[in-house]
Amino acid sequence: MPLLQSKVFRHYALGLGCTFVGAWGMEISGSMLPLALGAAVSIMTTLPLVRSLWHKKSWRRDVP
């Protein structure tokens, strides 16, 4: 499955987008809350991507 069509990668991209929107919201409102919320979403969407990459790596290591 290509990387751009992966559900996990799309969620990760959405999390990064939330960080950018949060940075824009911080600029507009002057509050750090939008950036903090965007970063929290980004962190929560990073974990499934890391798990997916970790399992692929361990699977490849088992194959000679």
Side-chain angles (χ1 to χ4, degrees):
M1 177 183 302
L3 182 63
L4 295 177
Q5 293 178 352
S6 171
K7 182 180 177 182
V8 174
F9 182 75
R10 283 186 285 163
H11 283 148
Y12 179 69
L14 177 69
L16 287 179
C18 286
T19 301
F20 289 123
V21 169
W24 174 77
M26 184 183 84
E27 182 70 27
I28 298 298
S29 69
S31 172
M32 294 284 287
L33 184 63
L35 183 59
L37 293 174
V41 171
S42 182
I43 289 172
M44 290 188 319
T45 59
T46 300
L47 183 61
L49 178 68
V50 171
R51 282 184 182 163
S52 172
L53 293 174
W54 183 265
H55 288 300
K56 283 183 182 179
K57 182 180 176 183
S58 65
W59 177 76
R60 288 183 187 159
R61 186 176 32 190
D62 293 340
V63 177

